[in-house]
Every structure is written in structure tokens, then in C-alpha cells.
């Protein structure tokens, strides 16, 4: 359904031509004549295009869509939670899943040390970028395929599942050979070619929220993946861009319960990128869990001062272990297993 | 201390005239000549004015202040937490303080019913606006002094302490006769005349963060109150304005631990105004507590559909009682008393 | 008129109770049953309160107001431009009015020198703050009444009209004794007590847009002044706060033509505060005129490096004279007199 | 050069270990001991990585880079304007270049009609999307290669140069066969794989500013293209995302003169996407020219109500012709040819 608000100066002839247009499009108009304005309810079709066209017609002040533009991701379409199985980890199944690891894969020693440490502390999935989208063309861009091989090695050594980012459509086959979960980063959250390519896989994918995507746009990005056939999508709030610059981004904590009510997909939070400050990671991680997140993604580095990227926001393994203990206590209070 | 970065095209003469200016201002310059640019460290004074003036001098690219512009509110100045005593409630003392009540005081029956309900559920302070700043001149603007009298009555009847908003300097004496805590709302967070007037009191005051204030500006606003002699200031994050419109504001959850590290003042959160949606109040309230908030301010209304303002975000008394139970469990996990 | 969109799960009974509520409020409901949802058009009343209440009713998904919340400021209410006469300057009458002067009044010599310079260059109104709202309690707060006296002296000496800021309701009588136009600054744009007090005057007032006010809120703030009886309001775009920090604020250039279409009030632009950078003032001033601004407000200082505030964005008198020449040429191309 | 501000609690040993780290990295430290804090100037290297690492060292409060992170795009590196020659049109050479055409290529008749109309009115480049990045997977996604063929046909028929968007790296060879200028849209402004691929071409490319990119990030995105060898980059401001929703985006008018001072690249403006409202396109287009834009990109459609995308912001051919006349007059006043 769609609602068309006519301008108060619209003549009867103008109104009639809109009504005719609605009928010609195969829809049924319902007219309400108010004291000042005429409102037309359009029943039968809510395609975006029809709405766009009507907005350009003479006499039309505003067109309001009453239906949401997304379908497959919505809870109206699928009321029960989507649970994604990755190596027997049930993502979105009620327990809290923790992904941890370095920003980028730098070397075998680095990765294995961190992997063992986060495994020991209770994480079940290892993160690590092999292809890094960097603001500067002169920054470290990742180890590429060598990084993927190291991730596979770390999986073997620890039993952790592995998640890593894919940044361009033609890398998708390569990355999906190695990763258990593919990640689409915030800067690519509206890279529709990449979303379509990922949609053709059946592998789990974590789609991070763009730092300037509102919730509707974010869900539409996820819809691209589902519409191409891949239903294994994990959402992840990682902070939006605002005027506040004392943190790297602003964690939109309300997005966690709101997205869980709008969509059936599992919902994670990334306090490392949201805050960009080591000292804020633990309190914001706890907040995300209290707000209902299905999981967390946390950067951990054994030598942050030697990290090739984002060391400033990485937790030390011992702080991460501390946080995991606190999360377990918190989980107990919230009737959830970590 | 202050750092002056000279433009790379600045001549020796230009640099010398800046050095002279620094010395004439009674400060000592330290020069570092780099490969491209010259940097001058200015020791001895970091007054805002000196910095502003230097920014306008020829050859100066940028002036950076290394000292924070606030003093009295900072943890550097006072390392231990400020604890504010209101009727034996120790605000900021480690336990969680919950303020609850209607957006506006509407009638004796309404206020007393709600006051008894929130008391029973475990709140210790009653909120209720008597003077309401409203976006529209045609909206309900509050009961005025009559509202204050009703708040006093509710205090007597329940033993709850009472907080209410003051919107203009000349109301301060009247409002402080009735209220235990005065509130300065988000729209007045940079109303310096009001801040100065409040600073002359010795009563506790809750200063809400402006929806457009960054953390430094917010702390500077609090500094206005302390600089006028009133040290009993409570901070409160209530959401900032961002591009995201699916919530009324965006709760800046990271601001809670960050402000607690920058300042010694107690830090509250208001999930009702931050979200503007009843269904999000409980998860965001829990998140704020998990992030380290000293207290919460929550709107509760017995008949939201009849509320004269903000009914859409008010919890029903029974949902509030439910939330209080959850907060108690959460507090236990975090070693805190609610 | 108002449109109520019912949730798709709303039962017939729920819908009926909304219909009854509408009728009980003295309005007429028009029902359109769609394929998925029911829409109710409410004719007869669009008070904000009714809308707020309906949003809290069970089964109601959303309430949309079709009428704008402001009246007196709207062009629908008064189609012709408001022209404000200040000492024979016709503000909003088609010609371009230029206000210029220092950020703050600092001394007689400073003010008179600048006043003569801007008069010579073609400005017709002198600006200068006597009461300065400053972010820091330790910054220069203005000369107070002595500043007002100097403004009056400069008016006598040059024939320029005088505008100055008022920051708190009880200063209004004093400031209006001296100023030809009272200014309400961005930080006070939602200080409703001040707006109401100013509304009782009949003197012209320039109301600056708040740095986080959207256009509707801005017009509502102006509505407060008109609703109290003062129709002599000048609007002024001075930049909004965004994530971009390379300028002090982001000049919302589209707001100029948009506000001129929504409202009959004269519309100014302040490129000094919008950009915060001297080198950007001239290009942005020209842009504002090309976009249809009725006037400009520009900071000019003869010794910016000695200014007690905002020297970094002040034009030197000679650059201001240069800009005025360019504006005259531009005016010619746009069929407007400067 | 880099400036390291040490925490005021940093011990001598901590400071010394930072000094050693600086020397071990092959740089020279300059120490300034202030009253409260110690500042270290680091001469010799400003690699991003070194800065990132130092930020994670104990005792370091903040690291400030004094050099800009971009080089090839900067005016410091190349003081004179870059002029790009496209079919004898000198983009960035002082005259105003106007690009016009429909949002998307829809059919031969549509494109040719519009192409002839904009040519007649004085445009020199035709726009039209063949591959359309759309928020919804269910919206019209463009005609693909058939659209490119129609653009080539329109070029033949009118002599207009042709610009069209490329959305993914593997389309680059195809699109560059047809287009005179390749466009990278706002959503892809940080799609680094695409930027690198485009960088390998020698064809002109217009890189639109991302709606969430600040100026530094935007210039870094352009740096990606230049760093790969393609120096023919045109910048284009098309509005950023802010809290203001009455326009589609907020045109950052100050970015035009600011980018022209920071960079040697030609700078365009797109008032159609910035405003999203037909009635605002002309005033904002004039504003952009007055602010110093080298060119404009404007959507024109002969039947906006039938457009398959963005009809609401397209000018009718006759309004576009009107605007071109006004721009010519404006150009005269600004000593520029349109």
C-alpha cells in the first residue's frame, strides 16, 4: 500500500489525473478528502518505481510507502530466528558467539600465538584480514593469499572457525576456499556487485553495517544477498559516523535490539571498530551483550605496538581473557551461555 | 603547553615574528626544525585566547593545545569519584540509582499513582517536568508552579527524592525551593546564563548532554557550573543527533565509560529520550548499566495514550518493574547494588 | 489531517477502538483497507497532542501528519515576502543587505575603525557582540552594557544600523534600548523562554539556525516569536554540525532556497561562522547570494591577530571591500542591488 | 614530521623508551619539556604505520602528523591547476563545463531527445547510467552494455562527450571502450579495488565524493587513482549525509573552494543528487558556480514522471535551458565562460 498526499492547491482535474494513473498501473485508489488536503490510498502494488514516478506528478506533495522495502530479511517474512551453523557453533541460537583475532594477518607466529590465546580464553571463531581495505594507498594492504593460508593453518592448529574479509567480486572464489565465514566490511556495505556475488554462495557471510547506512539501507544491503539465494547472513553493528570525534565511530547500541525486532538474522557487535580505543572495548562489549547481541567481534593482538594496522584498538590477550570472564558472569545474569 | 605548526613556506622572518610574539606573551618557545616544517612548542601558558590569536598570525598553519580546556570537572584535577548525597542516596557511590516518572506532571492522581508504582519497583528518585521546553509553541508547556507543588506532595507521600527541569535563569530560585535535584535539559546544555545561575546554588544538578554537544563541549558546560562554585553535578547521556532516524536520537554508549575516565562526576543515561521507542528502553537501559553508568533516568506513565507529552517512549509501570528485576540480576553479575 | 497506519497484525477490534478514539476527539475517520494494512485518514484536527497520543495506542504502527506544524511563518499563511524596515533599509525587499563588523565589541577605537571601514565598503548594518556566549567559562565574555554603548556611538558616527546578540530573557529590555536588531544565536535557537520574551517586542530580530536544528525545528523556533506577536523575524543559515571537521560547520546552502519557499521571512547567510576560515568566507558569501539569500552577515576585524574572539574567521577590511565589489557585480548578473 | 605528546604521568624511563624507538626507526627526536607534559618532535619519517605504532606505546597520549597523508593530489606537490582535455573541452581550464543528461539510459528515443536538448542549451558532456547501483535489489539496475551502445550513438548524433558510471573492477575494460569519462559513484568512493583498476587506465575519471567521506578521505581515494598512474581525475561534490532530511543530502558548498585550494584537480558539483529536489537544483547550481566550481553535473529528463530512476530531481529540458542562460550571465559577472 502507498499513500499519496496531494498539495492543498491541487485542482480536481489534477487529482483526477493522479487517480487515472493509479488505475492505469493496475492499482485501486481510495480517496479521503480532508479539510485542507486530499489523501489517496493506493492498494495493490508498492513497487518502488511506482512511488518514484508518482512523486514527480503535478499536484503530488508527498508519497508514503506503508510497506517496508525489504522482504526476505524481515521478521514479518520469517518470524523465527535464523540460526547459522558453523562447525557446530550455532550462531544466533541464543548463546553468545565470540570472534576474536588480529586486525590483519601479519605472520605465522603472530597469528598462531593470538589464535591459541583467544581459543583458550573462550572465543570460537578467529578473525584476521588477508585483504585489507586501507584509506591510504601507501598503507599495508594485507598478505593476500598467503594470509588465507595462514588462517587455514591456525584453524587446523586450534579448531577455531575462521572469518576473513573479501573486498572485490573476483576474490570471492579464492576467499571462500579458505574461510568458514566471509566478511563484507563497512566500506563495501553498498558495493552491490560484491553483494550479488556473495549472494550466489551458500557459505555464511557477515555483512558489517556501513558507517553511514541507516537501518533500512543496511537491511536492503542484506536483502541483496538473500535475494541472490544466500540466506546465511550475519549482521554486525560496528559504529556509525557522527559529529563526535572522541571515538572512531559512534556505536549505535539501539540498533542491536531494533534490528533483532525487524529481522530474523543474527546480530553481532564490533566494539573495537566502534570505539577505536582499547580502554573502551570491554565496557562497550558488555553493553552490546546486555542489549541483546548474538555475538561479538573483537580485535586482539599480542604486540599492539608492532601491529601493521589498528593496534591502537586491539586488546592484549590477557585483557581479552579478563573480558571473557566478565561476559560469562553477564551471560549468567541474562540466561545466556558464552 | 601549546604546539604551533608553521606553514612549510614560512620564511625565517615570519618564524621569528611568531617567536617574538610568544616571548612577548610571557611564554617560552621551543623550536624543532623538521625536514619540511618548523614546529614551535610554547611552554608557560595555554589560555584559549593566546591560541586563537596565534592561529591568525601569518605563517601559522595550525595551533594544537596539549592541555584540556576544562579543569574542575577533570579526573586529573580530582582523581576520586564525586559522590553526591541526596536524601541518603549516594549518587555515584558504586550502586545504581534509578530515576523514574512521567515526562510531564499532569495531575495529582497521575503523579501519585506513578510515584507509588516506581517506588515499589525500586526507583529512588521521581522525575516529572513542571516547565516543559517544547518544540511547538502550541504544545502543552507544563503545569508550572502547580506542577512543583505536586512533586513535593509526591515526595511526602512516597519518600522519593524529586528531580525537575529548570529552563530559564529567573526560575532557578522557585524550582530550587521544591526540587532535590535540578535538571538542565539537552536544549539548554549550552545556555550559559542558566549554567552560571545554577552554578551559584549548592543543590545537586543533573546536566543533560546536548544533542549536538561533543564530549569536550559537554564537559565545558559542566565546567561552567563548577567554576561558579557548585560541585554537585551529575552528567547524563541521552542520545545525540545523527543521520539515523529510526530512533529519536542515537545513544552514545561509549560516552559513558569515556566520560567516567575523563571526569570524576557521576554519569547517568536516559534510554527513554535516547531511543524514543518504548520497546528499546529496556535493552538500552541494560546496556548503559553494563557500560558502567551510575544511574538511569526512565520515563514511566500509567496511561501513555493519555500522556500530554512523550507517551510513545514511556514504559508502563509493570514493564518498569520487570526491567528493575532484570537490572538487579545484572547488577549482581557486575558486583553492583541496584 | 492526519494519517494513521495500523500494524498488519491489528485485529478488527483494535482498529475499531482507534476509530472510536478518533470520533471521541471530535474528528472524522476515513478507512482504507489495503491488502496488508489498514490506513485511517483523520479529518478535522491535527494537533500535535492527538498525534502523539495515537502513536501510543495498541495496533498503531505510525502516525503521519499531513499539515506542517508551523503556521504564521509559512508561505501558505502569508504568500508575499515579509519586508522589514530598519532605518530605511528594506530587509527582504529584493536588494542585498550586508551586515558586517567584529565578532565582539572590544574597544571604542576598534569598533569605530571597523564601522567606518565596512560603511565605506557598502555595508548597511554593523554587528558586534556585547554579551558573548562562549564555550569556556574562562574565555572573554564580552563588554556587557559598555559594549552596547559603544555600538550606539558607532551608529551615531556612521549612520549604520546596529545588531547585537541577546543571550538571556532578562537582558532583553536593556539590549533593545540600544540595538536596531536583536540577534538570537545558534546556541539559543531553542531557548524557548528567550524566544517568548523576544516575541513580546516589536523590534526586528535575527534568529540564527541552531547547528543541529532541522528546518522544521528552525521554523518552529521562529513560530514561537511570531506566535507571541513579533512578526519582524529574519532567518539566518550559519552552518550545521556534521561529521566534516575541515570547516567549523557545514553551510547548508540548499536551506536558503528551501526556507524561502517554505516561509515568507527574509533569509540571510553567515559565511564566517559556517566556514570558520577566512579564506572560505568570500566564495561561500557569493554562493549564498547566488542561491538567493536576502543578505549576508560577515565578520570583519582590523587586527584579527589581536581579536578577543573568532579572529581566525574575520576578513580584513580590505578583503571585505574586495568582496563587496564582487558582490555588486554578482548582484548585477542576478538583477539585484547590493 | 610527527609530534608525540606524552601523558603527563609518563616517567622518565617511559619517555626514554619512546625516544629509543624513534631513533631505532631511523628518525631524530626533538624533546620539548613543558610545565605539565613532554612533547617529542619526530623528524625524518611520517609513514602512517610509524604513527599508528607509536600511538600504542605506553605513556603516549597522542600522535599528531604534521604532513598531509596525500601527496600526488595536493597543490603542494603540483601548484598549477590540472586541465583535462576531453574532445577539446578543457576541464578545469577556467571555463565552466556542464554535464547533463538522464539519471539512467532508458531507451534510444529518450536518450537522443534529451541529448539534443541539453546540447542545444549549451551542455558539452552527456551523462547517463548504464550500470546503476540501486539501494534495492528489486529496482531497475540499468540497461548494461545496451546502454553503453546508446550513449555512443548519442555521442555520434550530437558531438557531446559521454560520461557513465562503472561499478565493479571487471567492467572497467568494457565501459572504457564506450565512455569518454568514467564515473565512480559516491557509494564506490572507497571501493579500493575499483580505484586501483581505474588507476591503470589513462582515461579521464570523475570520482564523486562519498556521502560519508571527509575531505581527507576523499583526497586519499583520489590519491589511489593517481598513485596507480592515472592523473586525469575530476573531483565532484554531490552532498554529504547529515541529520537534515529535508534534502536528499547536504551540499557541502565550502568543500568546493577548500578542495580547490588543497588540490590541483578540477572540481565539479552535482546539485541534483545533493538536493534531490527539482526546485532546488537551479539555485544550488548557481551557488556552486559562484563558489568556484569548474563544472556542474545536472540531471535532465524529458518525461520525469516516466523516469525509471530519480525522476524527482531531474530538470525538464526547458528549465535546464533557462538555468544555462542564468549561468551565462553569472559567468560574465565572475569573468568565466560557460
Amino acid at each position: 500500500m502507498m499513500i499519496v498526499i496531494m498539495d492543498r492547491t491541487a485542482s480536481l482535474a489534477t487529482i483526477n489525473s493522479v487517480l487515472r494513473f493509479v488505475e492505469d498501473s493496475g492499482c485501486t485508489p481510495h480517496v479521503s478528502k480532508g479539510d485542507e488536503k486530499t489523501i489517496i490510498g493506493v492498494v495493490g502494488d508498492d513497487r518502488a518505481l511506482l512511488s518514484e514516478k508518482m512523486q514527480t506528478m503535478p499536484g503530488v506533495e508527498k508519497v508514503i510507502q506503508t510497506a517496508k522495502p525489504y522482504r526476505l530479511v524481515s521478521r514479518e517474512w520469517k518470524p523465527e530466528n535464523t540460526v547459522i551453523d558453523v562447525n557446530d557453533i550455532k550462531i544466533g541460537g541464543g548463546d553468545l558467539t565470540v570472534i576474536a583475532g588480529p586486525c590483519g594477518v601479519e605472520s605465522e607466529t603472530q597469528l598462531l600465538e593470538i589464535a591459541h590465546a583467544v581459543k583458550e580464553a573462550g572465543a570460537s571463531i578467529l578473525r584476521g584480514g588477508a585483504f585489507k581495505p586501507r584509506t591510504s594507498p601507501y598503507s599495508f594492504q594485507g598478505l593476500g593469499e598467503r594470509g588465507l593460508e595462514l588462517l587455514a593453518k591456525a584453524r587446523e592448529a586450534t579448531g577455531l572457525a575462521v572469518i576473513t574479509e573479501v573486498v572485490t567480486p573476483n576474490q570471492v572464489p579464492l576467499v571462500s576456499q579458505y574461510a568458514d565465514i566471509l566478511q563484507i566490511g563497512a566500506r563495501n556495505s553498498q558495493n552491490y556487485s560484491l553483494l550479488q556475488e556473495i549472494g550466489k554462495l551458500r557459505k555464511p557471510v557477515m555483512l558489517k553495517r556501513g558507517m553511514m547506512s541507516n537501518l533500512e539501507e543496511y537491511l536492503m544491503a542484506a536483502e541483496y544477498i538473500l535475494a541472490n539465494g544466500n540466506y546465511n547472513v550475519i549482521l554486525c553493528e560496528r559504529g556509525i559516523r557522527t559529529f563526535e570525534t572522541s571515538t572512531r565511530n559512534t556505536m549505535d547500541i539501539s540498533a542491536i535490539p531494533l534490528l533483532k525486532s525487524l529481522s530474523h538474522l543474527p546480530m553481532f557487535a564490533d566494539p573495537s571498530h566502534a570505539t577505536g580505543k582499547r580502554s573502551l572495548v570491554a565496557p562497550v562489549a558488555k553493553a552490546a551483550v546486555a542489549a541483546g547481541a548474538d555475538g561479538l567481534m573483537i580485535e586482539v593482538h599480542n604486540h599492539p605496538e608492532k601491529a601493521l594496522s589498528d593496534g591502537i584498538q586491539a586488546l592484549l590477550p590477557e585483557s581479552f581473557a579478563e573480558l571473557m570472564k566478565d561476559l560469562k558472569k553477564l551471560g549468567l545474569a541474562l540466561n545466556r551461555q558464552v
Side-chain angles (χ1 to χ4, degrees), chain A:
Chain A
M1 184 148 180
M2 212 160 57
I3 299 166
V4 181
I5 304 178
M6 300 299 297
D7 193 274
R8 69 188 185 114
T9 63
S11 69
L12 201 61
T14 306
I15 294 172
N16 283 336
S17 84
V18 170
L19 296 178
R20 241 190 332 274
F21 180 83
V22 169
E23 289 169 344
D24 290 356
S25 309
C27 300
T28 314
H30 288 232
V31 182
S32 306
K33 264 200 98 53
D35 32 2
E36 281 218 327
K37 293 179 181 177
T38 295
I39 270 71
I40 306 171
V42 177
V43 178
D45 199 331
D46 57 355
R47 283 171 310 162
L49 182 56
L50 186 62
S51 148
E52 275 188 29
K53 282 185 183 172
M54 298 205 65
Q55 281 176 60
T56 68
M57 295 190 75
V60 171
E61 189 181 299
K62 209 179 185 175
V63 179
I64 297 156
Q65 298 238 31
T66 64
K68 291 175 183 127
Y70 45 83
R71 296 172 203 181
L72 306 176
V73 300
S74 74
R75 223 177 243 291
E76 301 188 354
W77 188 78
K78 174 167 181 289
E80 67 280 5
N81 286 334
T82 285
V83 180
I84 298 174
D85 192 315
V86 177
N87 301 0
D88 289 329
I89 310 155
K90 310 280 185 216
I91 295 173
D95 293 349
L96 187 78
T97 308
V98 179
I99 303 172
C103 177
V105 178
E106 296 166 14
S107 74
E108 184 167 343
T109 334
Q110 171 239 25
L111 191 64
L112 284 178
E113 255 188 63
I114 299 173
H116 282 294
V118 302
K119 163 92 181 178
E120 181 130 339
S124 53
I125 303 176
L126 176 68
R127 63 154 290 153
F131 298 98
K132 302 291 310 165
R134 301 300 303 274
T135 310
S136 165
Y138 311 120
S139 293
F140 173 62
Q141 312 265 331
L143 294 182
E145 185 163 5
R146 170 79 186 132
L148 298 175
E149 289 165 4
L150 294 178
L151 284 166
K153 222 168 200 171
R155 173 174 43 201
E156 253 174 80
T158 59
L160 291 166
V162 151
I163 181 172
T164 196
E165 184 167 353
V166 57
V167 298
T168 191
N170 58 15
Q171 277 168 2
V172 171
L174 177 71
V175 176
S176 52
Q177 266 174 53
Y178 291 93
D180 299 300
I181 309 176
L182 282 81
Q183 179 184 322
I184 298 186
R187 288 190 189 79
N188 280 313
S189 75
Q190 294 191 294
N191 181 339
Y192 300 119
S193 310
L194 183 56
L195 298 177
Q196 282 167 328
E197 202 62 28
I198 287 278
K200 295 177 196 154
L201 297 178
R202 292 300 167 268
K203 278 224 160 174
V205 51
M206 172 180 278
L207 174 67
K208 289 200 151 187
R209 179 179 180 186
M211 68 184 91
M212 273 256 160
S213 294
N214 62 34
L215 295 191
E216 190 171 299
E217 290 164 342
Y218 184 26
L219 288 173
M220 287 307 285
E223 183 85 9
Y224 258 95
I225 304 176
L226 276 77
N228 279 278
N230 188 350
Y231 286 66
N232 301 304
V233 176
I234 303 161
L235 302 176
C236 183
E237 163 65 29
R238 42 78 73 209
I240 56 174
R241 179 162 275 189
T242 71
F243 67 85
E244 176 59 70
T245 55
S246 65
T247 41
R248 184 167 167 174
N249 294 285
T250 300
M251 167 71 93
D252 182 4
I253 195 82
S254 313
I256 297 170
L258 193 44
L259 283 174
K260 282 202 74 65
S261 77
L262 295 172
S263 173
H264 51 83
L265 297 171
M267 178 74 211
F268 275 51
D270 174 346
S272 307
H273 283 90
T275 63
K277 282 193 173 156
R278 195 181 299 158
S279 65
L280 300 176
V281 171
V284 174
K286 290 180 213 168
V289 172
D294 293 302
L296 294 171
M297 178 175 236
I298 293 174
E299 287 192 8
V300 175
H301 202 289
N302 44 358
H303 298 295
E305 76 285 3
K306 295 188 185 155
L308 297 174
S309 58
D310 280 354
I312 198 168
Q313 70 199 27
L315 287 188
L316 286 166
E318 45 274 27
S319 314
F320 176 69
E322 199 70 41
L323 170 60
M324 288 300 287
K325 272 185 220 152
D326 287 354
L327 290 176
K328 269 164 208 160
K329 277 194 261 173
L330 205 62
L332 224 64
L334 300 159
N335 297 320
R336 301 177 59 186
Q337 197 91 28
V338 179

